[in-house]
Amino acid sequence: MKWQLLGRWRTPVQVTVDALAWIVGLTFATLSRYDFGVSHVNFRHLGLFVVLAVLVQVVAGLACGLYTGRSRFGSFDEVLGLVRAVGITTAVLFAFDLWALPVRLVPLSAPLAGGMTALVLLGGTRYVWRLVLEARRRPTGEDCERLVVFGAGEGGAQVITSMLRDPASPYLPVALLDDDPAKRKLRIMGVPVVGNRYDLAAAAATHRATAILVAIPSADTALIGDLTDLATEAGLGVKVLPAVRELFGGDVGIADIRDFTAADLLGRHQIETDVAAIAGYLTGRRVLVTGAGGSIGSELCRQIYRFGPSELIMVDRDESALHGVQLLLEGRAPLDSPDLVLLDIRDRPGVERLFAARRPEVVFHAAALKHLTLLERFPREAFRSNVVATLDLLQVAAASGVERFVNISTDKAADPSSVLGFSKRIAERITAHMAEHSTATYLSVRFGNVLGSRGSMLTTFRAQLDSGGPLTVTDPDVTRYFMTIEEAVELVIQAGAIGQGGEALVLDMGEPVRIADLARRLAGLAKRPVDVVFIGLRPGEKLHETLLGAGEVDARPSHPLISQVRVPSLHPDRVREIEPEIDGFAAAMRSLCDHEHQPLRHQTQ
């Protein structure tokens, strides 16, 4: 309670302490001038001079914000204000003693020496006061989780300060680790650096820590994976800070600390986006998104929405998905907005009516069937949704004057080996054909697995962990590319701004991830033992995915994270020829991909 009262009466206490500092400073300076011979000191004059000093200090302190709560107590801003106030006071006292009176009240050296002494006392009392307050704020409860913090940089300093200044903090930092030898003797708020990453087990045992906090928001895949392995060996939990791009305002604190997730093993990308280019083709335009309620589609809508299109037409055949995307954008979902369109894109007459009525200028085509194993069993559905519906959409878009059409593709279209890959490769090629016969821009964007999307591998792993395992992996050596939904969509929108007609823009997914390693690390961090079981590659699956097909050159003329490759076009009539072959959709699609220059069976006028 007394500390709460002290905080409430901060200004009177500060003024009193500062006055005492000047009394001590000037008295000491005057006595030292006379070698502490008390008989030589005129205490009446000294008293008047001290009163003047206190008055000037109060006025100068108010002017510099010392007593108005302008700066956080004990901060560098307050220290700067303190130096200014003492400097002003010293200068005024010196001038007054030199010129104002016929007789000097104190020796001329007293204002200068007294000012320096007062500054030391003023700064010292604030420093001690701050130490006492911070010690009282320090979390002391036995239920606090003791953390070893990895990273003694800015992120580590901010989060340690945040934890140690909150008495209700659920975490207590007890040691720091950093791989930089120059930081071996560093302490942050009293927390010492005790070694590098390989000293984790010893540091945890010595300081009775139960978890490691990775306090490097820009940590890459290799570092996260290595620290996770070391933590698992030491029996520690893992906590992380969000990626830099996820932080609001750039500062980190207790609220930013979260449990480790599988996504953290897959690295973080900092994307530099040309906002001006994006705004130029989206702002004030009529934009249509198919598959708007899906994982990619809803994030597309969210990011497009912030660029201020004149209309954002969201198309999906799933009414619940449309409800979700409207809730995401507007915080409410009465489902009465004309921007929500319940429509199956396989319904060509319905698509024609929609385009005739709304006249979209930019189209993002995200609607598709995407589950590889299921489409191997039902190739006709893949053909109807991913190929024929895409072709219909392209033709309707061209007829209605769409200016830019972005087809969302997949890495499985590069040297395809599955029904999904064949269908998406054909979609890329008919998009390229449309670009050849139009002045508008028609292009495709290709990327790999998306974290957090419905039915993704990590979603499956999470469900398996929740049920106690095992985690199922197809092959010990299988690798895949991954991206977060936000990163993928941001680059899709960027690609739409820079892509040329007939291209497939391939998003840089970083290094491929070995799925067995990911599963093993997740199993090691589970609260109970979980096995990893290998079930073998399924029909159509590759051991290693590729982002570029045979003959495609990795050229990045416009953006360091986007490759631009030419796609050979495919005449729509070649697609229409497949439709009657109900029993051979998979073979027919494979044939179109294997023989990209095979002539048409039926030439059209």
Short mmCIF file of all heavy atoms in Angstrom, two decimals, residues 273-274 277-279 281-282 299-307 364 404 406 408 445 486-499 507 562:
data_model
loop_
_atom_site.label_atom_id
_atom_site.label_comp_id
_atom_site.label_asym_id
_atom_site.label_seq_id
_atom_site.Cartn_x
_atom_site.Cartn_y
_atom_site.Cartn_z
N THR A 273 6.48 -6.15 -49.97
CA THR A 273 5.38 -6.03 -50.92
C THR A 273 5.34 -4.63 -51.53
O THR A 273 5.48 -3.63 -50.82
CB THR A 273 4.04 -6.31 -50.21
OG1 THR A 273 4.08 -7.62 -49.65
CG2 THR A 273 2.89 -6.23 -51.18
N ASP A 274 5.15 -4.58 -52.83
CA ASP A 274 5.01 -3.30 -53.53
C ASP A 274 3.55 -2.87 -53.43
O ASP A 274 2.72 -3.18 -54.29
CB ASP A 274 5.43 -3.46 -54.99
CG ASP A 274 5.41 -2.13 -55.73
OD1 ASP A 274 4.97 -1.12 -55.14
OD2 ASP A 274 5.82 -2.11 -56.89
N ALA A 277 1.91 -0.91 -56.33
CA ALA A 277 1.53 -1.70 -57.51
C ALA A 277 0.22 -2.44 -57.26
O ALA A 277 -0.65 -2.54 -58.13
CB ALA A 277 2.64 -2.68 -57.88
N ILE A 278 0.09 -3.00 -56.06
CA ILE A 278 -1.12 -3.74 -55.72
C ILE A 278 -2.33 -2.80 -55.72
O ILE A 278 -3.38 -3.09 -56.28
CB ILE A 278 -0.96 -4.41 -54.35
CG1 ILE A 278 0.06 -5.55 -54.46
CG2 ILE A 278 -2.29 -4.95 -53.84
CD1 ILE A 278 0.37 -6.21 -53.15
N ALA A 279 -2.16 -1.66 -55.05
CA ALA A 279 -3.27 -0.72 -54.97
C ALA A 279 -3.70 -0.28 -56.37
O ALA A 279 -4.89 -0.05 -56.62
CB ALA A 279 -2.86 0.49 -54.13
N TYR A 281 -3.94 -1.94 -59.14
CA TYR A 281 -4.85 -2.80 -59.92
C TYR A 281 -6.02 -3.34 -59.10
O TYR A 281 -6.88 -4.03 -59.65
CB TYR A 281 -4.06 -3.93 -60.60
CG TYR A 281 -3.81 -5.19 -59.80
CD1 TYR A 281 -4.60 -6.32 -60.00
CD2 TYR A 281 -2.76 -5.29 -58.90
CE1 TYR A 281 -4.37 -7.50 -59.31
CE2 TYR A 281 -2.50 -6.47 -58.21
CZ TYR A 281 -3.31 -7.58 -58.42
OH TYR A 281 -3.06 -8.74 -57.74
N LEU A 282 -6.08 -3.00 -57.83
CA LEU A 282 -7.20 -3.45 -57.00
C LEU A 282 -8.08 -2.31 -56.48
O LEU A 282 -9.29 -2.45 -56.40
CB LEU A 282 -6.68 -4.27 -55.81
CG LEU A 282 -6.02 -5.62 -56.13
CD1 LEU A 282 -5.53 -6.28 -54.85
CD2 LEU A 282 -6.98 -6.53 -56.87
N GLU A 299 -8.63 -15.80 -47.19
CA GLU A 299 -7.49 -14.92 -46.93
C GLU A 299 -7.27 -13.95 -48.09
O GLU A 299 -6.90 -12.79 -47.89
CB GLU A 299 -6.23 -15.74 -46.68
CG GLU A 299 -4.97 -14.93 -46.42
CD GLU A 299 -5.04 -14.06 -45.17
OE1 GLU A 299 -5.88 -14.33 -44.29
OE2 GLU A 299 -4.25 -13.09 -45.09
N LEU A 300 -7.52 -14.40 -49.32
CA LEU A 300 -7.49 -13.49 -50.46
C LEU A 300 -8.47 -12.34 -50.27
O LEU A 300 -8.13 -11.17 -50.46
CB LEU A 300 -7.84 -14.26 -51.74
CG LEU A 300 -6.71 -14.76 -52.63
CD1 LEU A 300 -7.27 -15.67 -53.71
CD2 LEU A 300 -5.95 -13.59 -53.26
N CYS A 301 -9.68 -12.70 -49.88
CA CYS A 301 -10.71 -11.66 -49.68
C CYS A 301 -10.28 -10.69 -48.58
O CYS A 301 -10.45 -9.47 -48.71
CB CYS A 301 -12.04 -12.31 -49.33
SG CYS A 301 -12.78 -13.24 -50.68
N ARG A 302 -9.72 -11.24 -47.50
CA ARG A 302 -9.31 -10.37 -46.39
C ARG A 302 -8.24 -9.38 -46.83
O ARG A 302 -8.29 -8.19 -46.50
CB ARG A 302 -8.78 -11.23 -45.23
CG ARG A 302 -8.50 -10.43 -43.96
CD ARG A 302 -7.81 -11.26 -42.92
NE ARG A 302 -6.43 -11.56 -43.29
CZ ARG A 302 -5.41 -10.72 -43.11
NH1 ARG A 302 -5.62 -9.52 -42.58
NH2 ARG A 302 -4.20 -11.06 -43.45
N GLN A 303 -7.25 -9.88 -47.59
CA GLN A 303 -6.16 -8.98 -47.99
C GLN A 303 -6.60 -8.03 -49.11
O GLN A 303 -6.18 -6.86 -49.13
CB GLN A 303 -4.95 -9.81 -48.42
CG GLN A 303 -4.31 -10.57 -47.27
CD GLN A 303 -2.88 -11.00 -47.56
OE1 GLN A 303 -2.18 -10.35 -48.32
NE2 GLN A 303 -2.45 -12.09 -46.94
N ILE A 304 -7.42 -8.49 -50.03
CA ILE A 304 -7.92 -7.59 -51.09
C ILE A 304 -8.78 -6.49 -50.50
O ILE A 304 -8.72 -5.33 -50.92
CB ILE A 304 -8.71 -8.40 -52.14
CG1 ILE A 304 -7.78 -9.35 -52.91
CG2 ILE A 304 -9.44 -7.47 -53.11
CD1 ILE A 304 -8.52 -10.36 -53.78
N TYR A 305 -9.57 -6.84 -49.50
CA TYR A 305 -10.51 -5.91 -48.87
C TYR A 305 -9.80 -4.65 -48.36
O TYR A 305 -10.33 -3.54 -48.46
CB TYR A 305 -11.20 -6.64 -47.73
CG TYR A 305 -12.32 -5.88 -47.06
CD1 TYR A 305 -13.57 -5.76 -47.65
CD2 TYR A 305 -12.14 -5.30 -45.80
CE1 TYR A 305 -14.60 -5.09 -47.01
CE2 TYR A 305 -13.16 -4.63 -45.16
CZ TYR A 305 -14.39 -4.52 -45.77
OH TYR A 305 -15.41 -3.86 -45.14
N ARG A 306 -8.57 -4.81 -47.86
CA ARG A 306 -7.87 -3.66 -47.28
C ARG A 306 -7.36 -2.68 -48.35
O ARG A 306 -6.94 -1.58 -48.01
CB ARG A 306 -6.72 -4.12 -46.38
CG ARG A 306 -5.60 -4.87 -47.08
CD ARG A 306 -4.68 -5.55 -46.06
NE ARG A 306 -3.67 -6.37 -46.67
CZ ARG A 306 -2.39 -6.01 -46.80
NH1 ARG A 306 -2.01 -4.83 -46.38
NH2 ARG A 306 -1.53 -6.82 -47.37
N PHE A 307 -7.38 -3.10 -49.63
CA PHE A 307 -6.94 -2.20 -50.69
C PHE A 307 -8.11 -1.42 -51.30
O PHE A 307 -7.91 -0.67 -52.26
CB PHE A 307 -6.22 -2.99 -51.79
CG PHE A 307 -4.87 -3.50 -51.35
CD1 PHE A 307 -4.66 -4.84 -51.11
CD2 PHE A 307 -3.82 -2.62 -51.15
CE1 PHE A 307 -3.44 -5.31 -50.70
CE2 PHE A 307 -2.57 -3.08 -50.74
CZ PHE A 307 -2.39 -4.43 -50.50
N PHE A 364 -9.76 -13.58 -59.28
CA PHE A 364 -8.86 -14.55 -58.64
C PHE A 364 -9.61 -15.87 -58.57
O PHE A 364 -10.65 -15.98 -57.91
CB PHE A 364 -8.47 -14.10 -57.24
CG PHE A 364 -7.52 -12.93 -57.22
CD1 PHE A 364 -7.99 -11.64 -57.15
CD2 PHE A 364 -6.14 -13.14 -57.27
CE1 PHE A 364 -7.13 -10.55 -57.13
CE2 PHE A 364 -5.27 -12.06 -57.25
CZ PHE A 364 -5.77 -10.77 -57.18
N ARG A 404 -7.82 -8.71 -65.81
CA ARG A 404 -6.74 -9.50 -65.22
C ARG A 404 -7.35 -10.73 -64.55
O ARG A 404 -8.27 -10.61 -63.75
CB ARG A 404 -5.95 -8.67 -64.21
CG ARG A 404 -4.70 -9.36 -63.67
CD ARG A 404 -3.83 -8.36 -62.94
NE ARG A 404 -3.24 -7.40 -63.85
CZ ARG A 404 -2.00 -7.48 -64.35
NH1 ARG A 404 -1.23 -8.49 -64.02
NH2 ARG A 404 -1.56 -6.56 -65.16
N VAL A 406 -6.27 -14.25 -62.50
CA VAL A 406 -5.20 -14.96 -61.78
C VAL A 406 -5.72 -16.34 -61.38
O VAL A 406 -6.62 -16.46 -60.55
CB VAL A 406 -4.74 -14.18 -60.53
CG1 VAL A 406 -3.62 -14.94 -59.82
CG2 VAL A 406 -4.27 -12.78 -60.91
N ILE A 408 -5.17 -19.77 -59.51
CA ILE A 408 -4.38 -20.33 -58.41
C ILE A 408 -4.05 -21.78 -58.73
O ILE A 408 -4.95 -22.62 -58.84
CB ILE A 408 -5.13 -20.24 -57.07
CG1 ILE A 408 -5.62 -18.81 -56.81
CG2 ILE A 408 -4.23 -20.73 -55.94
CD1 ILE A 408 -4.53 -17.80 -56.69
N VAL A 445 -0.61 -18.72 -60.78
CA VAL A 445 0.31 -18.61 -59.65
C VAL A 445 0.41 -19.98 -59.00
O VAL A 445 -0.61 -20.58 -58.66
CB VAL A 445 -0.15 -17.55 -58.63
CG1 VAL A 445 0.80 -17.51 -57.44
CG2 VAL A 445 -0.26 -16.19 -59.27
N GLU A 486 -1.00 -16.55 -45.04
CA GLU A 486 -0.81 -15.11 -45.22
C GLU A 486 0.30 -14.83 -46.22
O GLU A 486 0.18 -13.97 -47.09
CB GLU A 486 -0.48 -14.46 -43.87
CG GLU A 486 -1.60 -14.49 -42.86
CD GLU A 486 -1.72 -15.83 -42.14
OE1 GLU A 486 -0.82 -16.69 -42.30
OE2 GLU A 486 -2.70 -16.02 -41.41
N GLU A 487 1.43 -15.57 -46.09
CA GLU A 487 2.54 -15.36 -47.01
C GLU A 487 2.16 -15.72 -48.44
O GLU A 487 2.46 -15.00 -49.39
CB GLU A 487 3.73 -16.21 -46.57
CG GLU A 487 4.39 -15.73 -45.29
CD GLU A 487 5.35 -16.76 -44.73
OE1 GLU A 487 5.26 -17.95 -45.08
OE2 GLU A 487 6.18 -16.35 -43.92
N ALA A 488 1.51 -16.87 -48.59
CA ALA A 488 1.14 -17.33 -49.92
C ALA A 488 0.21 -16.33 -50.61
O ALA A 488 0.42 -15.96 -51.77
CB ALA A 488 0.46 -18.70 -49.83
N VAL A 489 -0.80 -15.87 -49.90
CA VAL A 489 -1.77 -14.96 -50.51
C VAL A 489 -1.15 -13.60 -50.79
O VAL A 489 -1.44 -12.98 -51.83
CB VAL A 489 -3.02 -14.83 -49.60
CG1 VAL A 489 -3.90 -13.69 -50.05
CG2 VAL A 489 -3.80 -16.14 -49.61
N GLU A 490 -0.29 -13.14 -49.90
CA GLU A 490 0.36 -11.85 -50.16
C GLU A 490 1.17 -11.91 -51.45
O GLU A 490 1.16 -10.97 -52.25
CB GLU A 490 1.26 -11.49 -48.97
CG GLU A 490 1.77 -10.07 -49.03
CD GLU A 490 2.37 -9.60 -47.72
OE1 GLU A 490 2.05 -10.20 -46.67
OE2 GLU A 490 3.17 -8.66 -47.74
N LEU A 491 1.86 -13.02 -51.66
CA LEU A 491 2.63 -13.16 -52.88
C LEU A 491 1.73 -13.40 -54.10
O LEU A 491 2.07 -13.00 -55.22
CB LEU A 491 3.65 -14.28 -52.74
CG LEU A 491 4.88 -13.92 -51.90
CD1 LEU A 491 5.80 -15.12 -51.73
CD2 LEU A 491 5.65 -12.76 -52.50
N VAL A 492 0.59 -14.06 -53.91
CA VAL A 492 -0.37 -14.22 -55.01
C VAL A 492 -0.84 -12.85 -55.50
O VAL A 492 -0.88 -12.57 -56.70
CB VAL A 492 -1.57 -15.07 -54.57
CG1 VAL A 492 -2.72 -14.95 -55.56
CG2 VAL A 492 -1.17 -16.54 -54.44
N ILE A 493 -1.20 -12.00 -54.56
CA ILE A 493 -1.66 -10.66 -54.93
C ILE A 493 -0.54 -9.86 -55.59
O ILE A 493 -0.74 -9.15 -56.57
CB ILE A 493 -2.22 -9.92 -53.70
CG1 ILE A 493 -3.44 -10.67 -53.15
CG2 ILE A 493 -2.60 -8.50 -54.05
CD1 ILE A 493 -3.98 -10.09 -51.87
N GLN A 494 0.67 -9.99 -55.03
CA GLN A 494 1.82 -9.32 -55.63
C GLN A 494 2.06 -9.84 -57.05
O GLN A 494 2.33 -9.07 -57.99
CB GLN A 494 3.07 -9.57 -54.79
CG GLN A 494 4.33 -8.94 -55.34
CD GLN A 494 4.36 -7.44 -55.17
OE1 GLN A 494 4.35 -6.93 -54.06
NE2 GLN A 494 4.40 -6.72 -56.27
N ALA A 495 1.95 -11.16 -57.22
CA ALA A 495 2.15 -11.76 -58.54
C ALA A 495 1.13 -11.23 -59.55
O ALA A 495 1.44 -11.02 -60.73
CB ALA A 495 2.05 -13.28 -58.44
N GLY A 496 -0.09 -11.03 -59.08
CA GLY A 496 -1.11 -10.48 -59.96
C GLY A 496 -0.76 -9.10 -60.47
O GLY A 496 -1.21 -8.68 -61.54
N ALA A 497 0.08 -8.38 -59.71
CA ALA A 497 0.47 -7.03 -60.13
C ALA A 497 1.62 -7.05 -61.13
O ALA A 497 1.71 -6.19 -62.00
CB ALA A 497 0.87 -6.21 -58.89
N ILE A 498 2.52 -8.04 -61.01
CA ILE A 498 3.74 -8.02 -61.83
C ILE A 498 3.73 -9.04 -62.97
O ILE A 498 4.54 -8.94 -63.88
CB ILE A 498 4.99 -8.26 -60.96
CG1 ILE A 498 4.96 -9.68 -60.36
CG2 ILE A 498 5.09 -7.22 -59.86
CD1 ILE A 498 6.21 -10.02 -59.57
N GLY A 499 2.83 -10.03 -62.91
CA GLY A 499 2.85 -11.11 -63.89
C GLY A 499 2.44 -10.68 -65.29
O GLY A 499 1.62 -9.78 -65.47
N LEU A 507 5.95 -19.18 -56.55
CA LEU A 507 6.33 -18.54 -55.31
C LEU A 507 7.46 -19.30 -54.64
O LEU A 507 7.45 -20.52 -54.55
CB LEU A 507 5.14 -18.46 -54.36
CG LEU A 507 3.86 -17.86 -54.94
CD1 LEU A 507 2.82 -17.67 -53.84
CD2 LEU A 507 4.14 -16.54 -55.64
N ILE A 562 9.57 -14.43 -56.45
CA ILE A 562 8.62 -14.91 -57.46
C ILE A 562 9.36 -15.22 -58.76
O ILE A 562 9.94 -14.33 -59.39
CB ILE A 562 7.52 -13.87 -57.73
CG1 ILE A 562 6.77 -13.53 -56.43
CG2 ILE A 562 6.55 -14.39 -58.77
CD1 ILE A 562 5.72 -12.45 -56.60
#
